[in-house]
Amino acid sequence: MNTQITPPTRLYFLDWVRIIAFFILILYHVGMYYVTWDWHVKSPFASTLPEPFMMLSSPWRLGLLFFVAGAAASLMLRKAGTATFLRRRSLRLLLPLVFGMLVVVPPQPYLEVVEKLGYADGYGAFMRLYLQAYNGFCREDCLILPTWNHLWFVAYLWIYTMLLGGLVAALGPRFDAVAARIGSWLTGWRIVALPAAVLAIARVALVEHFPTNHSVVGDWYNHAMSFIPFLLGALVARVPGFWARLVPLRWHALGIAATGWALLVMWIAAYEVVAPPVMASLRPFVYAMYALQAWCAMVAACGFAARHLDRDGPARRYLNEAIFPVYILHQTLIVTMAHAMQPLRIAPGLEALLLVLLTLTLSFGIFEVVRRVGLLRPLFGLAPVAAPGNAATVGAPAGAASRALRP
C-alpha cells in the first residue's frame, strides 16, 4: 500500500476534510432543531430519538476543524511571514464576523425570542434593541446581544491565529524545533494515546467547572478543546511525513471512535436505570473516553482523507471557496426556514430533508451572487478578484496551491 503523502505545500486532502466537516456541521445544525437540547428554535416534534445519531459527530467535528485550521495557518505563516499573514487573516475573518453579527445572525435571536418569550414587536423594533445591547430577554439566562451565535468559531479562530502568530514570531526557528520534538514523540500508537491523554486531562479538569458559553471570557473548557487541536495541527504541519503516519492507523482509530460512540450512547441510557452515586463515580472515565473518541475520529478522518482524497480538481477548488460563505449563511437559513415551516406540520423526516436541501440550495445560490460582486466578496471572507495577468489569478496553479492552505 502506498502511504506517501504529497509535500506540505499541496495538502489537498486537508481541504477535503474541511469541506466534508462543514457539510456535516450543516446536517448537525438541522438536527439541533429536532432534539431536546436547547437551541434557538425547536420543532414541535422534538424528541430524544435523533440524539444518539447527533453524538456520532458532536464530540469531534469542531475539534477537527480547528486541527485542520491550525495546520493550514502554520504552513501559511511559513510561506507569507508573520506580519503579512496576520494582516490578511484579520481582514478575512474579522470583516465577515462583524458583517455576520450585524446582518446575517440577527434573525436567529429574533426568532428565538419570538418562540421562547412570545416577542411580538416586529423585527425592526428588535433590531433597535439588538444594536443597543438590550439585556432584558431573559428566561433562565438572559440573551446576550449583539451575538455571534454560530460565528463564534470565526471569532475563536481569529484569536487562536493571533496567538499562533505571536508564538511563531517569539520562538522563531525554535518553533520548528518544538514541532520536530513533538513529531518524534507522535509515532505509532503514541499518535493516538498522547493527544487523547492531553485532551482527556483537560476535559476531566475543566468540563464541570467551566461550561461552554462561546463568550471567550470564562470559556476555558471550550478553549482547551479547541485550541489544543489547533496548536497540535500547527505543530504537526511542520513535521515532514507526519500525515503518512495516520494512514495505517485509520481503521484502528475509526474502530476506537465507533466503540466510544456506542459506550456514550449506553452511558446516556444508563441515567434512567443506574443509581446516581454509581454514575458520578464513572463520570471521569466517561469524560476521558469522550476525549479519546474525539481524537480518534480526527485521526481517522485525516488518515482516510490522506489515503483517498489527496488530489486537486474543479470540485475541490469550487467547494473550498464556497464553504466559508456557506458556513456564514447556513444557520440563519435553517432557523428562518424551520420557523416558517412550523404551521405546515410536515412530518419531521421529510421536513428535515427539505431543510437540508433548501439550506444547501439557497446558501450556494447566495454564494454564486457573492462571488461575482466585488463589494460583497470581503464580507463573506472571499479574496478580492485578482487583476488580469496576475500569477495568482483564480485557476492558475500558484493560486490553487495557495487556496489549498486556507484554514
Side-chain angles (χ1 to χ4, degrees), residues 45-389:
F45 303 105
S47 73
T48 61
L49 291 178
E51 291 171 9
F53 302 100
M54 299 283 280
M55 292 296 295
L56 279 169
S57 67
S58 60
W60 55 265
R61 69 188 191 284
L62 291 169
L64 177 63
L65 286 170
F66 279 116
F67 182 63
V68 171
S74 183
L75 294 175
M76 285 189 289
L77 268 167
R78 171 183 279 175
K79 180 179 180 180
T82 302
T84 299
F85 170 71
L86 294 183
R87 182 177 67 254
R88 291 175 179 172
R89 285 292 92 189
S90 293
L91 288 174
R92 297 286 286 275
L93 295 175
L94 291 183
L95 190 56
L97 177 62
V98 173
F99 174 75
M101 291 176 66
L102 294 177
V103 177
V104 179
V105 168
Q108 298 180 42
Y110 168 67
L111 293 175
E112 184 171 356
V113 298
V114 167
E115 287 203 7
K116 294 180 179 179
L117 301 176
Y119 182 76
D121 286 348
Y123 189 70
F126 172 82
M127 279 304 298
R128 287 192 290 272
L129 297 173
Y130 182 89
L131 296 174
Q132 294 168 10
Y134 178 68
N135 195 39
F137 292 124
C138 302
R139 261 196 334 180
E140 295 178 0
D141 297 305
C142 293
L143 190 63
I144 298 174
L145 301 177
T147 180
W148 47 45
N149 276 7
H150 68 293
L151 298 184
W152 73 268
F153 176 84
V154 180
Y156 280 42
L157 181 57
W158 177 78
I159 293 170
Y160 300 159
T161 301
M162 297 301 107
L163 290 173
L164 177 64
L167 187 63
V168 170
L171 293 179
R174 288 175 293 174
F175 185 84
D176 283 344
V178 172
R181 176 61 63 87
I182 297 295
S184 70
W185 294 342
L186 295 180
T187 59
W189 62 270
R190 289 186 292 271
I191 292 176
V192 170
L194 295 183
V198 173
L199 290 169
I201 291 169
R203 181 170 172 83
V204 171
L206 298 173
V207 67
E208 293 187 359
H209 304 288
F210 300 99
T212 298
N213 60 33
H214 296 152
S215 299
V216 179
V217 178
D219 201 17
W220 297 114
Y221 165 68
N222 191 33
H223 281 309
M225 295 298 103
S226 303
F227 185 65
I228 291 173
F230 179 87
L231 182 59
L232 182 58
L235 289 167
V236 300
R238 305 283 183 107
V239 178
F242 173 79
W243 305 105
R245 302 176 193 176
L246 304 184
V247 175
L249 296 173
R250 66 193 189 278
W251 284 107
H252 303 84
L254 180 62
I256 295 171
T259 302
W261 169 76
L263 292 174
L264 283 175
V265 172
M266 293 169 62
W267 165 261
I268 294 170
Y271 266 99
E272 302 294 329
V273 294
V274 178
V278 176
M279 298 298 286
S281 67
L282 293 174
R283 195 170 291 124
F285 167 76
V286 176
Y287 290 160
M289 181 183 63
Y290 187 100
L292 176 63
Q293 177 198 359
W295 175 243
C296 285
M298 297 181 217
V299 170
C302 292
F304 278 105
R307 178 67 178 85
H308 299 290
L309 295 176
D310 193 29
R311 57 179 179 268
D312 194 15
R316 186 208 65 83
R317 291 192 290 272
Y318 177 80
L319 292 172
N320 198 51
E321 183 179 37
I323 205 66
F324 191 29
V326 168
Y327 166 73
I328 292 171
L329 293 163
H330 81 281
Q331 185 162 295
T332 295
L333 291 173
I334 293 169
V335 169
T336 303
M337 291 188 295
H339 178 79
M341 287 182 183
Q342 286 179 2
L344 302 178
R345 308 294 289 184
I346 301 172
L350 176 59
E351 184 184 56
L353 178 61
L354 290 174
L355 282 174
V356 171
L357 293 176
L358 288 172
T359 299
L360 291 174
T361 301
L362 290 173
S363 57
F364 275 95
I366 296 171
F367 164 69
E368 285 296 328
V369 174
V370 167
R371 71 194 294 237
R372 289 168 168 79
V373 180
L375 291 176
L376 293 178
R377 288 180 64 89
L379 301 179
F380 287 87
L382 299 180
V385 177

